[in-house]
Structure formats: structure tokens, C-alpha cells
Amino acid sequence: MFDRSYNNSQLKNIHYENDIHYTLQMCQWLLKPIGVWPFVYDRTSRFEQLISIILMATCFSSLLFIILPSGHHIFFVEKDMHLKVKLLGPVGFCLSSTIKYCYLGVKGVFFEQCIKHVKNDWKMVQDPSYRIIMLKYATISRKLIIMCAVFLYTGGMSYHTVMQFLSKEKDNNNTFKPLTYLGYDPFFDTQSSPIYEIVFCMHCFAAMIMYSVTTVAYSLAAIFVTHICGQIQIQATRLQNLVENKDKKNNCDPFALIVHDHVEILRFSKNVEEALREICLAEIIESTIIMCLLEYYCMTEWQNNDAIAILTYFTLLISFTFNIFIFCYIGEILSEQCSQIGTISYEINWYKLPAKKAHDLILLISISQYPPKLTAGKIIDLSFNTFSSVVKTSVIYLNLLRTVTD
């Protein structure tokens, strides 16, 4: 954070371009292939915007290529309840990814504002120790994104490729060519070449889009919230230095600087919550249902002694559980870090300050009693309690699903 009363040329971080690139790099890698990057980043050319429109049209068409025929097949053609349930998971995940994809485009303006705020903080940070704090939290966000991506892409692509060919198929026809999604037979023969190869590649391409959209949702949340945590730690350091008056520069009141930047943090937190609330709600609903279905698939394949299918489904279950845990962890740490300002305000040697300045700390302590929260649609607060509720609910739905299918 920075003092807006200073001359910008004195405060400019000479490394800010590299720092911004380091912070947004993972998100940029994910957003560009699906065409959303120009919607959230203001410095893009007309050519990039044109390519973005083409990419979005291609990605959206690929997702509809799965949803429409497979959805029709599940609800109007397929009669076997077990097969309906088996197809419901991947098709439901595709539908959820499409909804999140639409939200990424609709909420592009909000994400752009948040990214501008992050860039501005990086550009104006002056103290090297504060820059180190920000880099530390940027590194944390990158590690979280990498872990989410590894779990999701490994399990997801294994489901679309390895499992389709190596898992046990209860089919007497050895020439049967497996596909992840069904429902194309009324339109063309998917067992003949090269139609089968084209459809299979389309399924893999759509899978990459789905996992990219899901990972993007986690990456945006991780980048913004860890950035907030970094700014909170900077304010905590300033509070601890307040008694020694180490941060006094150009006759600027250090406490006024702390209050000003704390207000900026709260405003940024509100913008982040507004940008992510619908996507978080979609993630909560999706994770609860998909975790329930994956638990059911694991139990079913355990009875069939299909080791490849069990391993694939279990990897996906770990992935979805880990990812929703990260979302809830991010929400928990946001509230916890913001509330620490009040604790630190009391724990410093405030009694060594002039009476008026010590009195002003009451403002920070009071505000910290109402920390910002990351919510799912302004309905559910993301926290460890929410994660526990999601896991419990998935088990309840599992018992209900077993009763219906049996």
C-alpha cells in the first residue's frame, strides 16, 4: 500500500512490471486459451480481442457439443438408472463449467477493477521489506494454483483418456470404442472412423476447457485474497513500528497512512467478494453434488473390482475435496487476517503513544470486529465450517442416492 499524498515518482517500484507478471502469470496462462484474458485485462490490442472472441465462441460451442446431446440422452433416452447416474456426474460438471465460463465473461469488469488495484499496489510499494511481504504471498497463491491444477487436470484427463480404454467394460463386443459422453447415435455413427476420432478429440478439448475454467476460478480467488493478506501484513508491520515512528516520511502522519490504506483494503475486499460471489456459489453446489457422485462411483467400481476406475474416481474425489477446501481456506484466512488488525492494535506498546494517538487506535479495533468475508452468492460464508458442511452434505446425498438406485 502507499500514501497517495506522496509524489508518485518517488514511490514507484522499479520492479513493478516483473512483480505484476509474477503475480498474474498463472492466471494469464489459464485465461488466454479460453479467451477471457482481454475481458479482465485492460492492456490488450484489437487483434487480441478479436482472437478472444473467436476462442470464446469455439470453447462455448465445444461445451454445448457435450451438454445438448448428452443431456437429451440422460433424461429422454437412457432407461438404466445406474447408467443415468454414471453419466450425470461428467455432464453436470460440464454444465457447471459452462455457467462459470459465462460468469467469467459477465464479471469481466469487476475482475478488471480488482486486477487494476493489484497492479497499483505493486507499482507504488516503496519499502523493500513491504515488497518482500507481497512477494511472499504472491508465491503462496502460485503454489495453491499449481496444486489445484495438478489434481484437477491429472484426475480429469485420466477419466477422459486412460479410464475409457483400460477400465473393465461389461460388453461382449471387443470392437466397441468407448466414449466419455453418449447421445450422438441419432446424428451419426460414432463407432466408425474418422468420426470416432473427431468426437473423442472434441471431448478431450472440451475437458481441457472445463478444467481451465474451474482452475481459473480458484486462481482468481487465490491471487486476490493472498494479495489482501499481504497488504494486511504490511499494515500490521506499520502498526508495530508506530510507537518507534519508523515510518514517518515527509511529515506524513503514519497513523493516517495506516487508516487510509486499511480503508483501501476493505474496499478491495468488497470488490473481490462482489466479483467472485456467483462463481463461489456455483462451486459450492457443484462440489457438493460431484463429491456425492464420485463417492458413489468409487463404491460401485469397488464392487466391480475395477482398479483403474477406482483410482481415477478417487483422484477426482481428492481433487474436488481439495479444491473446495482451498476456497473455504481462502475465505477463512481473509476474515482471520483482517480481524488481526484489531488484535495487533492492542498488542503494540500503545501506552507509549500520545494520548490522542492511542485513542485513535479504537477506530481500527472497532472496524476489525467486522472483517470482510468471501461469500457464495451472499448466502454462505466460505469458512472451515462451510467445508465441513459440504463434506457432510455430500455423504447425506450419497446415502439418498444409494437408496434410490437400489
Side-chain angles (χ1 to χ4, degrees):
M1 302 299 289
F2 59 94
D3 181 5
R4 276 74 173 173
S5 65
Y6 294 164
N7 188 318
N8 289 349
S9 62
Q10 295 177 344
L11 288 171
K12 188 174 180 180
N13 172 20
I14 61 174
H15 305 288
Y16 81 92
E17 290 186 350
N18 292 331
D19 294 339
I20 292 170
H21 177 72
Y22 180 76
T23 303
L24 300 177
Q25 184 182 36
M26 306 297 294
C27 188
Q28 184 178 353
W29 284 352
L30 293 165
L31 285 170
K32 278 190 172 182
I34 61 176
V36 182
W37 181 247
F39 287 86
V40 302
Y41 195 75
D42 54 342
R43 294 185 179 181
T44 53
S45 64
R46 295 238 177 213
F47 178 73
E48 288 178 316
Q49 293 174 2
L50 177 61
I51 295 298
S52 171
I53 293 174
I54 296 174
L55 285 173
M56 291 194 72
T58 303
C59 294
F60 196 72
S61 300
S62 300
L63 295 173
L64 291 181
F65 180 75
I66 291 176
I67 294 173
L68 295 180
S70 298
H72 177 268
H73 181 81
I74 291 173
F75 293 105
F76 300 105
V77 178
E78 185 60 53
K79 303 301 180 182
D80 188 342
M81 179 60 68
H82 289 280
L83 193 53
K84 278 179 179 283
V85 174
K86 189 174 182 179
L87 292 172
L88 187 61
V91 176
F93 177 68
C94 184
L95 177 61
S96 174
S97 299
T98 306
I99 294 173
K100 288 183 288 185
Y101 191 29
C102 294
Y103 270 121
L104 286 174
V106 172
K107 290 285 187 176
V109 176
F110 294 92
F111 291 126
E112 182 180 348
Q113 292 175 353
C114 294
I115 289 176
K116 281 183 178 179
H117 190 106
V118 172
K119 290 169 57 180
N120 204 38
D121 286 345
W122 274 114
K123 187 175 182 179
M124 305 308 295
V125 65
Q126 181 186 24
D127 194 310
S129 63
Y130 297 163
R131 179 172 173 267
I132 290 173
I133 292 174
M134 293 173 68
L135 285 172
K136 171 188 171 183
Y137 280 92
T139 302
I140 292 174
S141 71
R142 288 171 65 94
K143 290 179 179 178
L144 289 175
I145 295 168
I146 290 172
M147 285 191 291
C148 289
V150 168
F151 274 115
L152 198 56
Y153 280 99
T154 301
M157 295 313 297
S158 296
Y159 174 77
H160 283 80
T161 55
V162 177
M163 179 182 147
Q164 300 304 319
F165 294 99
L166 298 183
S167 65
K168 295 179 180 179
E169 287 289 340
K170 303 301 183 181
D171 197 314
N172 295 325
N173 185 6
N174 295 327
T175 63
F176 176 79
K177 299 177 182 179
L179 284 174
T180 309
Y181 306 96
L182 305 179
Y184 302 95
D185 291 338
F187 308 102
F188 40 76
D189 182 11
T190 56
Q191 295 298 303
S192 62
S193 296
I195 295 177
Y196 172 79
E197 288 76 11
I198 294 174
V199 173
F200 182 83
C201 290
M202 286 288 292
H203 287 173
C204 293
F205 178 70
M208 294 295 293
I209 297 170
M210 289 185 272
Y211 302 133
S212 295
V213 169
T214 302
T215 309
V216 161
Y218 294 115
S219 65
L220 288 170
I223 288 171
F224 295 149
V225 173
T226 53
H227 181 78
I228 292 171
C229 293
Q231 301 306 304
I232 290 292
Q233 288 303 310
I234 290 174
Q235 304 315 310
T237 303
R238 284 176 171 170
L239 279 169
Q240 292 167 350
N241 295 335
L242 188 61
V243 177
E244 291 80 7
N245 213 12
K246 293 180 181 179
D247 289 334
K248 188 169 183 179
K249 300 173 184 177
N250 298 345
N251 297 320
C252 176
D253 183 358
F255 186 75
L257 178 60
I258 291 171
V259 172
H260 179 276
D261 288 347
H262 186 238
V263 171
E264 290 294 316
I265 293 172
L266 296 179
R267 288 175 179 169
F268 179 53
S269 302
K270 183 178 179 181
N271 291 337
V272 170
E273 193 276 334
E274 189 171 355
L276 292 171
R277 62 174 63 146
E278 290 87 0
I279 293 179
C280 290
L281 179 61
E283 287 291 343
I284 290 290
I285 297 173
E286 170 198 287
S287 296
T288 304
I289 296 175
I290 297 297
M291 286 169 61
C292 164
L293 291 172
L294 287 171
E295 291 162 358
Y296 175 81
Y297 298 157
C298 287
M299 295 177 62
T300 303
E301 300 302 336
W302 182 274
Q303 295 174 354
N304 296 334
N305 295 320
D306 193 341
I308 297 295
I310 293 173
L311 180 61
T312 303
Y313 287 134
F314 187 70
T315 303
L316 281 171
L317 179 59
I318 293 176
S319 172
F320 278 93
T321 305
F322 177 77
N323 289 343
I324 195 60
F325 172 79
I326 292 299
F327 251 123
C328 294
Y329 170 76
I330 287 172
E332 180 80 19
I333 199 173
L334 174 63
S335 299
E336 181 183 341
Q337 290 283 323
C338 291
S339 63
Q340 278 186 358
I341 290 292
T343 305
I344 295 171
S345 299
Y346 182 78
E347 290 179 347
I348 64 174
N349 297 331
W350 53 266
Y351 44 83
K352 294 183 179 179
L353 294 170
K356 185 178 183 303
K357 284 186 176 292
H359 219 249
D360 291 339
L361 290 173
I362 297 175
L363 173 66
L364 284 178
I365 296 174
S366 299
I367 293 298
S368 68
Q369 301 302 310
Y370 305 94
K373 296 180 179 180
L374 191 62
T375 69
K378 298 188 74 173
I379 301 173
I380 306 170
D381 294 338
L382 295 184
S383 63
F384 289 147
N385 289 334
T386 303
F387 173 73
S388 176
S389 298
V390 168
V391 175
K392 291 177 182 177
T393 304
S394 70
V395 175
I396 293 172
Y397 288 165
L398 171 63
N399 293 329
L400 178 62
L401 181 61
R402 290 181 62 191
T403 302
V404 172
T405 54
D406 290 342

